[in-house]
Amino acid sequence: MRSNSPKILIYSHDSFGLGHLRRCRAIAHSLVEAFDDLSVLILSGSPIIGSFEFRSRVDFVRIPGVIKLRDGEYTPLSLHLNIDHTLAIRASIIEHTAKVFEPDIFIVDKEPLGLRGEVLPTLEALKGTDTRLVLGLRDVMDDPQMLRKEWERKNVYPALQSLYDEIWVYGPEGICNPVEGIDLPAGIEEKLRYTGYLRRSLPEGAETLPEPAPFGEEPYILVTPGGGGDGVEMVDWVMRAYEARRHPLFPALIILGPFMPAAAVAQFVERASHLRDVEVIRFTPQIEPYLANATAIVGMGGYNTFCEILSFDKPTLMVPRIIPRREQAIRAARAEESGLLRVLPIDQYPDPELMTRALIELPDSPCPSSAGVENLLGGLELIGERVGEIFDQNRTSDRKLVNF
């Protein structure tokens, strides 16, 4: 029997990277702050989800992790099983959790059918219930041609038409459109709701940097490749600029991320030990204080980092990746066109003079807020409003059943 208190279930398929996890966590924390009796449960394959703190009334179910190989295929992260067996276990956990938890809202992050279709049975099981089914999309998914082919190959459109009730786009209308250039079947585009980007804030009690502060009271540039798994070239490019020492630069604090290859981590730590103005941190689950206290930021252009850049309003240089998806490059180009930041294309790597000039100019560049983009960071508030409307609809429906 459904509990009287509202519940939301969030599914995030990813086992690699931080963007999915941080996005789902930000939404969950915002919602339990807005609704006193709400419980949120996150289904995640992230191997590091346990490293993060969660607010009261937010919890997670860790499903067996998988990783993507260079050829695009998936393999279990830890289990000595074949991938089909692992996916069957994941799908069973997802469906059983949803049936027992009985959420008022089920939010699926990014992948309409889940990893290789693993969430489809859950969507079909919940469709005939009172659960509202929501797909949450980043502002940019990929190059439109690539996304169209991917969705056609995965047979996504029937689920978008007949299973999902709403599609939330986590960005403002007018900068990016995740389905731009795709000829969607009838009825899907009407389900789109643009929320604005998801604002990030300092955790309570985290206004100052952990001691010892990397450069004392001296200003610094924060360099973040997000999860770090695909950030080796960007970090190497920044370090080459400091090693060249052709011009004075602000000190650099580099946070490598938990998924950066161990060999690259060791190399960067060794190189930084010979530079008086470069410090390296392997990973921190609480990056917000470092962002808030930075003078400027160098990042790659992933969705999560982009939201943090906008939230803490720092002059920013983006060095987006272009492989295996063009998502970061598209986001960075649109952001630069809107006056939010500057971009240094990765195809100009590893020219240290280009990076040096960009780092010299960066601290005096405009902050994102100076661009005056409307509804830039209203995502969490608009999501909260929509969730409240859904809860009200459910309560009205329950009252009608009681009166009947």
Side-chain angles (χ1 to χ4, degrees):
M1 182 175 294
R2 185 185 293 270
S3 168
N4 289 329
S5 60
K7 302 182 296 296
I8 293 178
L9 182 63
I10 303 177
Y11 160 86
S12 173
H13 82 285
D14 216 12
S15 293
F16 190 74
L18 291 177
H20 300 267
L21 175 56
R22 286 191 184 273
R23 179 164 57 246
C24 294
R25 180 172 172 264
I27 292 170
H29 284 188
S30 174
L31 289 174
V32 295
E33 186 176 0
F35 300 95
D36 294 338
D37 56 348
L38 173 64
S39 294
V40 180
L41 190 59
I42 300 173
L43 287 158
S44 173
S46 172
I48 62 167
I49 190 170
S51 301
F52 290 83
E53 293 184 2
F54 291 87
R55 288 184 177 176
S56 177
R57 293 179 286 117
V58 178
D59 210 337
F60 64 89
V61 173
R62 164 83 158 83
I63 56 179
V66 298
I67 55 174
K68 182 181 282 190
L69 303 174
R70 289 183 180 273
D71 61 3
E73 293 299 312
Y74 286 91
T75 189
L77 177 65
S78 301
L79 298 177
H80 191 58
L81 302 172
N82 64 47
I83 187 61
D84 292 331
H85 193 178
T86 302
L87 289 170
I89 294 170
R90 286 168 55 107
S92 177
I93 293 172
I94 293 165
E95 184 174 1
H96 187 70
T97 300
K99 287 180 177 178
V100 175
F101 190 58
E102 293 187 305
D104 294 86
I105 304 172
F106 181 37
I107 303 174
V108 173
D109 187 68
K110 179 184 172 289
E111 285 289 338
L113 305 182
L115 180 62
R116 284 180 49 174
E118 67 182 1
V119 83
L120 181 58
T122 303
L123 291 170
E124 292 172 338
L126 293 176
K127 185 58 181 177
T129 70
D130 293 330
T131 301
R132 193 80 172 169
L133 302 179
V134 176
L135 174 64
L137 297 180
R138 293 184 310 232
D139 59 334
V140 182
M141 296 291 290
D142 198 355
D143 176 84
Q145 294 282 62
M146 297 299 294
L147 182 62
R148 178 180 56 78
K149 291 178 181 178
E150 178 182 334
W151 278 6
E152 287 175 353
R153 175 173 51 83
K154 293 179 178 179
N155 196 27
V156 161
Y157 299 118
L160 299 183
Q161 279 185 301
S162 61
L163 292 178
Y164 282 104
D165 300 302
E166 302 179 17
I167 301 172
W168 297 348
V169 179
Y170 301 136
E173 191 169 9
I175 294 183
C176 299
N177 176 357
V179 294
E180 182 179 18
I182 298 177
D183 186 18
L184 294 172
I188 296 177
E189 196 153 356
E190 288 74 15
K191 297 180 181 183
L192 295 179
R193 292 173 178 264
Y194 287 84
T195 69
Y197 291 111
L198 309 181
R199 186 185 299 276
R200 309 302 165 86
S201 57
L202 281 169
E204 191 172 341
E207 291 78 13
T208 57
L209 291 174
E211 293 294 338
F215 304 103
E217 298 297 318
E218 201 173 350
Y220 64 88
I221 293 173
L222 178 67
V223 181
T224 169
D230 52 6
V232 172
E233 288 183 342
M234 188 268 281
V235 173
D236 176 64
W237 200 359
V238 170
M239 294 200 76
R240 285 172 184 257
Y242 282 86
E243 289 166 339
R245 293 195 179 279
R246 295 189 178 120
H247 304 277
L249 297 169
F250 277 49
L253 173 62
I254 304 175
I255 300 181
L256 296 176
F259 299 111
M260 181 164 285
V265 171
Q267 183 186 83
F268 289 140
V269 169
E270 164 64 18
R271 290 166 66 181
S273 69
H274 301 290
L275 298 169
R276 59 176 173 75
D277 48 3
V278 176
E279 292 284 340
V280 170
I281 295 176
R282 177 71 175 91
F283 169 62
T284 173
Q286 200 171 86
I287 195 174
E288 293 88 354
Y290 296 99
L291 290 159
N293 286 277
T295 297
I297 298 170
V298 179
M300 291 182 60
Y303 179 86
N304 180 66
T305 299
F306 187 51
C307 288
E308 291 168 338
I309 287 164
L310 299 180
S311 300
F312 293 102
D313 202 26
K314 305 293 181 177
T316 297
L317 175 68
M318 270 193 177
V319 187
R321 72 180 186 193
I322 54 176
I323 298 172
R325 294 182 181 272
R326 291 193 53 81
E327 165 226 341
Q328 292 189 5
I330 294 169
R331 178 179 298 112
R334 296 290 178 84
E336 187 173 45
E337 290 169 7
S338 300
L340 295 168
L341 46 77
R342 297 185 57 197
V343 175
L344 190 58
I346 192 65
D347 58 11
Q348 298 185 40
Y349 165 82
D351 187 335
E353 186 60 34
L354 274 178
M355 177 60 76
T356 299
R357 286 204 300 269
L359 292 173
I360 290 171
E361 297 168 0
L362 178 58
D364 294 322
S365 299
C367 296
S369 60
S370 66
V373 177
E374 189 176 349
N375 186 35
L376 189 61
L377 286 162
L380 294 176
E381 291 78 8
L382 286 177
I383 289 172
E385 291 174 10
R386 180 57 191 149
V387 166
E389 292 170 357
I390 294 171
F391 289 164
D392 287 342
Q393 291 169 5
N394 288 350
R395 282 191 287 266
T396 301
S397 176
D398 290 343
R399 282 196 296 270
K400 287 179 179 178
L401 288 174
V402 171
N403 292 335
F404 178 79

